[in-house]
Amino acid sequence: MAKRHTEVGVLILGSGPTGLGAATRLNQLGKTDWLLVDKGKEAGGLACTDVTPEGFLFDMGGHVIFSHYQYFDELLDEALGSGSDSWNTHERVSYVWLKNRWVAYPFQNNISALDKEDQVTCLSGVVEAKVANAMATSKPSNFDEWILRVMGEGIANIFMRPYNFKVWAVPTTEMQCDWLGERVATVDVDRAISNVIHGKEDAGWGPNAVFRFPKEGGTGAIWKGVADLLPKERQLYGAEAVSIDKENKIVSFKDGSTIKYGHLISTLPLDIMLRWTGDGALADGLTYSSSHIVGVGIRGSCPHGKKCWLYFPEDNCPFYRTTVFSNYAEGNYPNETVRLSTVCMGDGRAAEDGADKEGPYWSLMFEISESKWKPVDQSDVSLGGNVWPRVVLDTLLGAVATNLVSPDDEIVSIYHRRLEHGYPTPSLNRDTVLEQALPKLREHSIWSRGRFGSYKYEVANQDHSLMLGVETVDNILFGCHEMTLQHPNIVNQKKNTDLLYSS
């Protein structure tokens, strides 16, 4: 970015789904006085896809496409193409690895897979919880109380508490429960008992039971495709914002350039924006966790059938979720004719044969959370002649411990990336902060929106994030109500068809 000083009507910071949603809506409405700016070299944000030197693709987490919005569906089909030429459609095949067995997801519907002692513990807890909940005179005060109230002590201790700590890296007692909605399956007591009696697997719950995934390019291809629909002269990449003068409506960039704006749509993390605007006390009231994404490419045939993503609540591995990323699309890994050398063995030992060999290949993508409550070892270790953070080796050892890979598997590619802002935590005082922070920024013509811009995990999927940007533009231009931001429970209960990209 050449040093310059310019002015624009609407400035958009960040080219992830929210920023691209805002830019798409402005372009759709025929507006020209806007600019989309991002510090990265291309569009995507947290929904980007990286490619290893060996040709393995890895997303920044377990991103799949399922949608609550017709606008979102139409836009993605326009950007990437529609139908089976552009997309793979998968039925979710997800399990929890617990006590050396696979339990179908969601866990609370499938306690029939546990041993008899754990079945009794879980069912007793579920029944006791139902009675206690019927007698309760107040709402649960935090996520931990909600778990006990809805699922009981058995499921809480066996799965929900340990798993959620691994996901959030925040104690469940420090989290609220108003965010839950469709995010967590509750327990139907009669159904749970019936499933145990009949030994039935019950895995169809949730909005992502069927999902789409791009045939080529990973999730990042979607957002590069959306960016390609927009005028290139209104997109600026490689420009890192470093401060804001909220009184004079000026954003300053790392290279000394400035942009004056009439309205600012910021998808930067809200805690960062608040510090820039002098509201550090509010920023301190927000909580987030960091994420480590570890990917491995493996020589051989995938031994995990059609499994999609898998959950790991126990402490014998650092990761909470693993995706069999090669199952999503053939474009996620090299062709079997590509010759690759072995980087290391499945347990991190030095390669037994360093010669280049053909495939076939498959891949796993792991997610590990980090916070002040849950530190991650990032000290240097050597793997395959390169230096990696210790968490990469711990992930390999955990993959062996959980039967995802064998010690003698040949690892041909390793990937690691740390995301400082991984998950926006629905902490106990989050809503109090948002009720003050978002209107306060609005007073200075700043709309802070997006997964981290508005800090609402309950509307932080890719479809939600895009529509947050779309609805922000309609709010700026027409004063329209922002349904996704203000009413998560309403938009999450139906297919929203009021606004269309095609119209």
Side-chain angles (χ1 to χ4, degrees):
M1 176 181 176
K3 184 174 180 179
R4 66 180 190 176
H5 308 283
T6 189
E7 186 171 349
V8 68
V10 179
L11 177 61
I12 305 166
L13 292 181
S15 69
T18 301
L20 289 168
T24 295
R25 185 60 171 162
L26 286 164
N27 191 56
Q28 182 185 24
L29 294 171
K31 304 302 179 181
T32 58
D33 190 16
W34 58 270
L35 184 66
L36 174 69
V37 182
D38 196 284
K39 69 178 181 180
K41 63 180 181 180
E42 59 187 4
L46 291 176
C48 69
T49 300
D50 285 345
V51 186
T52 70
E54 297 79 18
F56 289 86
L57 277 63
F58 294 106
D59 284 354
M60 301 303 103
H63 302 309
V64 297
I65 296 299
F66 59 98
S67 168
H68 302 84
Y69 306 88
Q70 188 68 25
Y71 187 104
F72 177 86
D73 297 338
E74 291 176 353
L75 174 59
L76 266 58
D77 284 347
E78 179 70 18
L80 207 62
S82 61
S84 59
D85 288 342
S86 302
W87 300 90
N88 288 330
T89 300
H90 297 283
E91 290 187 13
R92 182 191 67 215
V93 181
S94 294
Y95 288 87
V96 177
W97 180 255
L98 183 73
K99 298 188 177 183
N100 294 314
R101 73 185 70 189
W102 292 115
V103 179
Y105 168 87
F107 176 87
Q108 47 270 44
N109 286 356
N110 290 283
I111 56 180
S112 59
L114 303 177
D115 60 37
K116 295 300 181 184
E117 182 177 346
D118 285 338
Q119 288 179 10
V120 171
T121 299
C122 290
L123 285 180
S124 296
V126 166
V127 172
E128 290 169 2
K130 184 173 184 179
V131 173
N133 195 37
M135 298 175 62
T137 58
S138 62
K139 294 172 60 177
S141 62
N142 58 50
F143 186 27
D144 197 75
E145 286 188 15
W146 182 91
I147 293 170
L148 292 174
R149 186 85 62 88
V150 172
M151 301 184 189
E153 195 82 36
I155 293 177
N157 291 333
I158 291 174
F159 177 66
M160 289 295 289
R161 281 171 169 158
Y163 177 70
N164 278 284
F165 183 68
K166 287 186 80 172
V167 173
W168 296 100
V170 175
T172 50
T173 52
E174 298 295 321
M175 297 172 62
Q176 58 159 286
C177 53
D178 291 339
W179 61 277
L180 290 162
E182 65 176 7
R183 291 288 188 167
V184 179
T186 56
V187 178
D188 181 326
V189 177
D190 294 338
R191 183 174 176 178
I193 293 173
S194 176
N195 288 345
V196 168
I197 291 173
H198 297 288
K200 179 184 176 182
E201 185 173 286
D202 188 357
W205 177 87
N208 56 11
V210 176
F211 63 92
R212 296 195 293 169
F213 196 86
K215 287 202 163 186
E216 298 289 342
T219 295
I222 299 170
W223 303 108
K224 287 189 281 189
V226 171
D228 287 342
L229 297 175
L230 301 170
K232 296 200 181 304
E233 65 271 17
R234 297 193 188 100
Q235 301 178 62
L236 183 62
Y237 296 97
E240 182 177 355
V242 294
S243 66
I244 185 170
D245 178 346
K246 65 182 181 183
E247 303 298 337
N248 293 304
K249 299 183 179 180
I250 296 173
V251 174
S252 296
F253 293 84
K254 191 174 184 178
D255 69 346
S257 299
T258 62
I259 300 178
K260 184 175 177 62
Y261 59 86
H263 303 88
L264 175 63
I265 301 173
S266 172
T267 71
L268 276 58
L270 177 59
D271 52 295
I272 292 176
M273 179 56 68
L274 289 171
R275 296 191 195 285
W276 285 0
T277 57
D279 293 303
L282 284 174
D284 290 340
L286 295 170
T287 303
Y288 68 89
S289 61
S290 302
S291 294
H292 293 260
I293 310 300
V294 175
V296 294
I298 306 159
R299 192 188 329 272
S301 298
C302 176
H304 298 297
K306 294 184 178 180
K307 289 185 175 71
C308 300
W309 59 90
L310 309 165
Y311 302 95
F312 298 85
E314 296 174 301
D315 60 6
N316 58 350
C317 62
F319 44 87
Y320 62 87
R321 182 167 60 187
T322 299
T323 299
V324 188
F325 207 54
S326 51
N327 276 350
Y328 284 5
E330 291 182 3
N332 288 349
Y333 55 95
N335 185 277
E336 64 180 11
T337 60
V338 174
R339 300 178 67 86
L340 296 173
S341 61
T342 302
V343 174
C344 67
M345 306 308 290
D347 58 3
R349 287 178 290 126
E352 297 174 358
D353 180 359
D356 289 348
K357 294 184 290 185
E358 294 185 345
Y361 303 105
W362 62 287
S363 62
L364 293 169
M365 179 181 66
F366 305 87
E367 297 169 77
I368 302 101
S369 63
E370 175 193 345
S371 72
K372 65 180 181 180
W373 290 281
K374 184 177 172 291
V376 170
D377 192 344
Q378 299 179 67
S379 58
D380 290 345
V381 298
S382 178
L383 281 173
N386 291 314
V387 175
W388 297 94
R390 172 75 200 196
V391 65
V392 174
L393 176 58
D394 289 343
T395 295
L396 286 176
L397 296 174
V400 172
T402 55
N403 290 347
L404 288 171
V405 302
S406 79
D408 295 325
D409 277 338
E410 297 180 16
I411 308 299
V412 298
S413 185
I414 297 176
Y415 170 84
H416 171 262
R417 182 168 174 179
R418 181 182 182 273
L419 306 173
E420 172 62 24
H421 284 79
Y423 273 63
T425 308
S427 56
L428 293 174
N429 59 342
R430 180 202 69 174
D431 290 352
T432 299
V433 172
L434 295 182
E435 287 166 5
Q436 298 177 62
L438 298 183
K440 194 170 185 179
L441 291 173
R442 276 283 305 277
E443 293 174 2
H444 297 278
S445 296
I446 301 171
W447 280 254
S448 185
R449 300 291 186 267
R451 179 179 176 89
F452 273 99
S454 42
Y455 252 81
K456 289 192 173 184
Y457 176 75
E458 56 268 43
V459 281
N461 284 341
Q462 293 178 88
D463 61 331
H464 299 121
S465 296
L466 179 119
M467 294 308 295
L468 284 170
V470 170
E471 293 173 7
T472 298
V473 168
D474 284 357
N475 179 261
I476 291 172
L477 297 180
F478 312 120
C480 296
H481 196 65
E482 297 176 81
M483 286 296 296
T484 301
L485 177 70
Q486 301 295 342
H487 303 287
N489 287 337
I490 293 177
V491 298
N492 283 335
Q493 288 176 0
K494 63 177 184 177
K495 189 76 170 185
N496 298 276
T497 59
D498 294 340
L499 186 61
L500 303 177
Y501 177 71
S502 58
S503 62

